[in-house]
Amino acid sequence: MAKTFQIIISGQVQGVGFRPFVYGLAHHHRLKGMVCNNGDGVLVHINSEEEKAGEFLNAIIKKAPEISVIQSHTLSEIPFRSYDDFKILPSQAQKQINIPLTPDFVICESCKSEIRNTNDRRYAYAFTTCTHCGPRYAVTTKFPFERANTSLSDFHMCTPCKTEYTDPNDRRFHSQTNSCRECGIQLNLTTSDGTSIATDTPKIIKKVSGFILSGNIVALKNTNGYLLCCNANDKTAIARLREKKQRPTKPFALLYPSLEKIKKDFKLGTEEEKALTASAGPIVILDPKKGMANLERKSIAPKLHQLGVMLPSSALLTLLMDTLKIPIIATSGNIHGSPIISEAADAVKKLADVADYFVHHNLNITFPQDDSVVRFAGEQQITLRRSRGLAPNYLNAPFSENKKVLAMGAHLKSTFAFVPNTHTYVSPYFGNLDSYDVSQRYQKSIVQHMALFDTRPELVLIDAHPQYQSSILGREWANEWKAELRTVQHHKAHFASVLGEHELFPSKEKIMGAIWDGTGLGDDGAIWGGEFFMYKDHQMERLAHFEYVDWIAADKMAKEPRLSLLCMLPETEREGVRQKFSDTEWKIYNRMLEKNTLKTSSVGRLFDAVASLLDLGDTTSYEGEAAMLLENTARDDNGDTPIDFLAGIPYQNIPTKTLMANILKAKKDDIPTSRIAHSFIHTLALSIVKTAKENHCETIACSGGVFQNSVLVEKLLKLSKTQGFKLKFNRILSSNDENISFGQLCYHHYLKN
């Protein structure tokens, strides 16, 4: 006798074509029942015998849509309900939503074929999507994921689109972002003063291509925000973009027409190719081939060997690149330091002096996002920026927390993490909270997430630095909401983030943490940044650190590597760098050193100091520039075995000034700059191994922005094979301060001290 069974599938299962998939599978199995979205994921009822119900569930799990992620599933018998057929029913809304937020997906191959086919009704439609691709998180207004709960609700499907939507045999069956040129999103090409030039898509694409080829800058609204685009082989256009965007040297990303053209110009390993063609479609940092031509490399990434490359993420970008057939610069539509712009009025107001032309559209973007950025050290993925396509879910971290928790993150490279239910949500990267616009976007997004889940935090976690904007705001909100407030030290949060990623809580084994970055307030009032920790059985303690040196001139020190050099050289050697300062500066900074009491162990500033010592740069225009130039120089070394600048020197805390003195001696001995740079990074890698061995640790967890250095990561990976220890890096999250919010959650949940 038939019974009724209920199946609940939880995870990333909304907005990925899961209901149409279940519908088709049910008809294949000749089952009657229904499927719908609800507050926990996807709900299925079937009339069946128990054995067949189990077989059906197994089929769902094995054949689920590729872009879905099933986290849990249940099968249970419920009171009998008679069904005449199998149907997709409207979502069952619940007050408390308990599902992941579906990220955006790049355009699929089927949709690309349609927009290129002159006989297809979606030919040249710039917002073509289906159940397998298109914006999701960017257009979400509430949940469950239905068209009425997205900004696509402003567009009413025409008869042909409705037919597709209701046809079980159509690829767009229950595609919530379904639209076409008759009923969908409209483009508008304008001049910088707002004069409309064209609204017809093929005409817009043709004109924009011509504008770019003629040396113009175009601000184009993609499905995640505006991009500023220009010809990647036009030195004048790139220079103008740099000047107008206030971005003198920071590298620009390249948008390529096809994977084949990327392969022609770049060295492409298996992992890089997988990343470029993945559903997230991030920017991937690649090594150019020697024969690369038709790119203004020195203008695109000044003094750097590697370039950031991506493929078109949307139908609009696909159409443009099909016409251009050449790589272009496609960088975030903003002024340097501000968040990506997503609204037309804001774009015109802030970018009218930057862009010559604008391509607007009338789809509201709820959650604007930058493009994600990744690189690889062998098979090890290093996430540089976690944003479009990768955020906001963190699918591997169920915190059994009774309270609703909001972790406010750090000040630079800010993110927040929210646990309003059994899922964890880590926001996309926002930027530096010193910027008013970034701070406003950060706050707005937190408020939006509270509205999505209809809940307020009961516990707020903040960084121990009292002057971080995230900490100030967290204290204010905790007071307003009458929520509990707790602080987590910055580097302990870094360590906790990598332990959490690798599910190393709890561990009876000793795990050493190497946590290296630029700044973070330490428990002793110093600026930490070169830390070694020990974790075991819910306890974390500071094990060792880089030698304390002076920190002067406040935030200026992070922008001028010459100041780090001055502070880190032994006092007897300082006179040798006097030429890097004016007479007045020399007197002022030496007076600061005489009176200074603030100390730092920062490895980020150590990289700056070495870069300045090797004359790679005394000032910077963007965060991490000196370290990138140093890494770049180290990659040029193809000579002898690198030098260990601390060989034979006993230490517990790393002797920074001794290290600097030995590097200075190598420079005076005319050892090539590239070999010194390589040897410096080699010495740092050896210091990690030595500290782990002395403390009898077989597992080493590395976090902090310094570990975005691929040369350092490659060194450590090679050493791990020969020295027999296990390495753990951030992989899902960035190793920089973007992981602090998640680390705060992990520290609070798993540690006692």
Side-chain angles (χ1 to χ4, degrees), residues 232 238 242 249-256 262 265-268 272 276 282-289 292-310 327 329 373-375 384 628 632:
I238 298 170
R242 287 200 175 281
T249 57
K250 190 174 182 180
F252 285 132
L254 292 170
L255 177 62
Y256 260 70
I262 294 177
D265 285 349
F266 293 90
K267 300 172 186 176
L268 205 60
E272 285 90 351
L276 281 166
I283 297 167
V284 182
I285 308 299
L286 300 174
D287 287 310
K289 292 181 177 177
M292 171 190 271
N294 299 322
L295 279 179
E296 275 290 338
R297 286 177 55 184
K298 291 182 179 179
S299 300
I300 297 165
K303 300 181 182 180
L304 298 176
H305 297 330
Q306 296 182 312
L307 298 171
V309 182
M310 62 179 167
I329 283 174
V373 186
V374 301
R375 72 189 308 185
L384 302 181
M628 290 173 68
N632 197 68

Side-chain angles (χ1 to χ4, degrees), residues 556-582:
K556 194 173 184 181
M557 188 164 166
K559 299 173 183 177
E560 297 191 20
R562 61 180 184 158
L563 293 178
S564 294
L565 175 59
L566 183 64
C567 292
M568 293 186 180
L569 278 175
E571 189 172 351
T572 55
E573 302 289 353
R574 286 175 183 167
E575 192 67 29
V577 298
R578 183 168 184 162
Q579 76 279 4
K580 293 179 180 287
F581 303 89
S582 69

